[in-house]
Amino acid sequence: MLTVNFKGCDSFIKNEEFQAYIQKAAEAFNTLDKENGAGNDFLGWKHLPSETLAGDLLKQCEDIKTLWAGKKVDLVVVIGIGGSYLGAKSAVEALSHTFEATLHASDAPQIVFAGQNLGEDYLCELMDLMKTRNVACVVISKSGTTTEPAIAFRIIKQYIEQTYGKAEASERIVAVTDKARGALKSLSDQEGYKTFVIPDNVGGRFSVLTPVGILPIVLGGFDMKAILEGALDMEKQLSVCGPENIAMQYAAMRNLLYSEYGKKVEVLINFVPKLMYFAEWWKQLFGESEGKDGKGIFPASCSFTTDLHSMGQFIQDGERIMFETLVGVKNPARSMNIESDEQNLDGLNFLSGKSVDYCNHMAQLGTKLAHIDGGVPQLEVQVDKLDEYHLGQLFYFFEFSCGISAYVLGVNPFNQPGVEAYKKNMFALLEKPGYEQATEEIRKRL
Ligand code: PA5
């Protein structure tokens, strides 16, 4: 079950203000529901859980898994950036054994990522790994033209072709892209790759429940059906407009804190290190959806207790511009107690018989009270445990909340015009054909 709790905001806001923002959230809900708001041709994500569970996409992904298992593939390189990367990466990190890369606790191939940066050393070191392993590749790009994954794919494609031969390479490379347009689609058709389609009406950061997330997650040996079932339960629960709707409540509270109390930064916090990349996914979701037209809550993240020893000082005592949203996990998957020690040299016998999670929980409660005392409102989004089902709930909850929240803020949640500026400059600097004039102009500025 996913629950929300806003008691940590009580001392900062007045209930009538919250009710006024619930009203705004209800209007935003109706815009999302009637599909008559800005960006309404990008609402395909709303019904992905129900539609995908009813279709045969999972089976098609399982077929690739079986094909590659037959070839004894033990390393899958997933190429993509932004929305074509963060959903799968966050799921793999949340659901894997923390030390999977060295422990190999799972029978499934190891999933590694490329194309999410232009680090030369990163790619060289990935190549070192690939040379020791039996490799296949999933290349993901909706536009099919994004530079970072295109560069990584050119290098990895050449390696796979040289290592396994061209015919075999066409069975070891799968593309996830647009149904018709883009260089990746035409290349895939030419090379005979199996392709999966990213629906036109789903933008990158809302695409984790399309083949963009589903294929890598299935290949990594995780229970994608359970993720979709968790998301489906949220899809049903959030489809009803009213003050009980927890996505409306979250959207209302964060907009109230932003607009009326100057809380310009939202820090997504966790006490479970496996959620670090989930926070990265969430940052893209809210950052790209809301940060436009000179508006938006800046999405930041911290992993506690680790970051209490680095960012804790600022959160407690620095400029009072932030609120926190805890993604809490009620129960750990494993248990470990602190045993008594006869000598008690470390003075920790007062914790004898207590679990590590109990200590973590006390740290969580202590942090909450300290930060509230320091002027930081705290919102809580809690799940029972960190498994596929609850991860699916979290994905859908935050997507739906994001749609409502951006409409309350008054921006189009589904475009990202600001991402183009750096690309234009980079193309000019790289002397891409067609950018000759821009190249000349930009050189004068360096
Ligand atoms: O959310 C978005 O739209 C972006 O982050 C894209 O996902 C990212 O730029 C990658 O784009 P593409 O999938 O076209 O390569």
Side-chain angles (χ1 to χ4, degrees):
M1 190 159 81
L2 184 151
T3 54
V4 299
N5 178 348
F6 303 133
K7 286 206 181 79
C9 299
D10 282 356
S11 56
F12 296 88
I13 58 130
K14 297 187 191 72
N15 186 43
E16 53 273 26
E17 292 172 325
F18 181 59
Q19 295 313 323
Y21 273 80
I22 283 284
Q23 209 38 54
K24 290 177 196 268
E27 284 159 31
F29 178 100
N30 285 328
T31 305
L32 205 56
D33 193 47
K34 295 199 171 75
E35 308 199 350
N36 57 8
N40 63 9
D41 41 351
F42 282 97
L43 292 174
W45 55 272
K46 282 199 307 176
H47 301 299
L48 281 173
S50 44
E51 286 168 9
T52 308
L53 281 165
D56 71 345
L57 178 59
L58 278 183
K59 158 94 180 53
Q60 288 185 48
C61 294
E62 290 290 345
D63 288 346
I64 301 291
K65 188 176 160 200
T66 307
L67 175 74
W68 289 355
K71 296 178 189 295
K72 304 210 177 327
V73 166
D74 60 8
L75 185 76
V76 176
V77 183
V78 177
I79 300 175
I81 194 167
S84 292
Y85 157 64
L86 283 165
K89 173 73 176 172
S90 67
V92 169
E93 291 290 317
L95 301 171
S96 293
H97 190 292
T98 303
F99 302 102
E100 177 60 29
T102 37
L103 193 65
H104 303 300
S106 158
D107 294 336
Q110 188 185 348
I111 307 292
V112 292
F113 294 86
Q116 81 280 31
N117 60 53
L118 281 172
E120 185 155 326
D121 288 344
Y122 184 94
L123 275 173
C124 289
E125 290 171 13
L126 175 60
M127 199 60 82
D128 292 340
L129 174 67
M130 285 163 55
K131 284 178 186 155
T132 69
R133 307 288 283 275
N134 190 341
V135 180
C137 165
V138 178
V139 53
I140 307 172
S141 176
K142 187 174 186 208
S143 62
T145 56
T146 308
T147 310
E148 293 92 330
I151 290 173
F153 182 52
R154 177 178 281 212
I155 291 164
I156 288 161
K157 173 179 184 287
Q158 283 171 352
Y159 170 81
I160 292 178
E161 286 175 353
Q162 280 156 14
T163 308
Y164 304 100
K166 199 139 170 85
E168 176 65 9
S170 69
E171 292 200 0
R172 284 173 180 256
I173 296 173
V174 170
V176 181
T177 190
D178 187 80
K179 65 176 182 313
R181 80 194 159 105
L184 181 58
K185 173 63 182 159
S186 35
L187 181 155
S188 302
D189 288 347
Q190 183 119 353
E191 301 283 17
Y193 301 155
K194 163 88 180 154
T195 56
F196 288 84
V197 173
I198 309 173
D200 281 344
N201 58 358
V202 182
R205 56 192 173 275
F206 288 83
S207 69
V208 61
L209 302 179
T210 72
V212 170
I214 293 178
L215 182 58
I217 291 169
V218 167
L219 293 171
F222 306 104
D223 186 351
M224 189 65 220
K225 187 160 171 279
I227 293 183
L228 287 162
E229 283 166 352
L232 176 61
D233 283 348
M234 270 293 123
E235 180 187 327
K236 289 182 190 155
Q237 186 184 329
L238 301 181
S239 67
V240 182
C241 183
E244 306 301 316
N245 185 308
I246 56 177
M248 283 170 52
Q249 291 175 7
Y250 174 55
M253 186 58 84
R254 61 197 297 283
N255 274 285
L256 167 60
L257 292 168
Y258 169 75
S259 297
E260 311 297 334
Y261 291 92
K263 301 295 184 189
K264 308 279 185 202
V265 177
E266 179 175 11
V267 188
L268 196 80
I269 60 168
N270 67 73
F271 284 77
V272 180
K274 286 183 182 190
L275 284 174
M276 202 176 100
Y277 270 92
F278 181 80
E280 296 303 312
W281 172 84
W282 172 90
K283 273 152 64 175
Q284 189 207 358
L285 179 69
F286 279 88
E288 267 191 5
S289 300
E290 293 193 322
K292 52 195 71 155
D293 307 339
K295 302 184 202 174
I297 301 169
F298 184 84
S301 65
C302 282
S303 282
F304 292 160
T305 62
T306 310
D307 292 334
L308 288 172
H309 298 258
S310 58
M311 298 303 289
Q313 170 62 35
F314 195 112
I315 296 173
Q316 187 71 44
D317 208 18
E319 185 145 18
R320 305 296 70 201
I321 50 170
M322 80 272 291
F323 62 96
E324 285 178 335
T325 297
L326 168 76
V327 179
V329 178
K330 285 186 192 146
N331 303 298
R334 313 263 299 263
S335 63
M336 184 179 278
N337 276 1
I338 298 160
E339 303 296 345
S340 160
D341 184 279
E342 211 171 295
Q343 289 186 292
N344 194 27
L345 294 176
D346 53 13
L348 282 183
N349 269 357
F350 74 100
L351 294 176
S352 296
K354 303 271 190 322
S355 70
V356 175
D357 188 60
Y358 173 79
C359 299
N360 202 23
H361 190 56
M362 292 308 114
Q364 185 181 310
L365 294 179
T367 305
K368 173 179 175 177
L369 297 177
H371 287 182
I372 289 172
D373 290 346
V376 180
Q378 195 178 95
L379 291 69
E380 287 177 19
V381 178
Q382 298 259 13
V383 288
D384 295 336
K385 53 184 176 169
L386 186 53
D387 60 6
E388 282 90 342
Y389 176 84
H390 292 92
L391 188 63
Q393 289 203 318
L394 285 168
F395 279 138
Y396 194 89
F397 169 76
F398 280 116
E399 286 181 356
F400 200 85
S401 301
C402 183
I404 296 178
S405 186
Y407 280 143
V408 172
L409 188 66
V411 299
N412 176 352
F414 306 112
N415 65 0
Q416 53 284 328
V419 184
E420 294 311 310
Y422 99 91
K423 291 186 190 166
K424 217 174 112 229
N425 289 348
M426 179 173 75
F427 291 148
L429 291 164
L430 287 171
E431 299 177 47
K432 186 172 177 172
Y435 284 77
E436 290 75 9
Q437 172 139 16
T439 302
E440 215 175 288
E441 280 162 19
I442 203 164
R443 285 226 173 105
K444 290 185 201 142
R445 292 178 56 198
L446 292 175

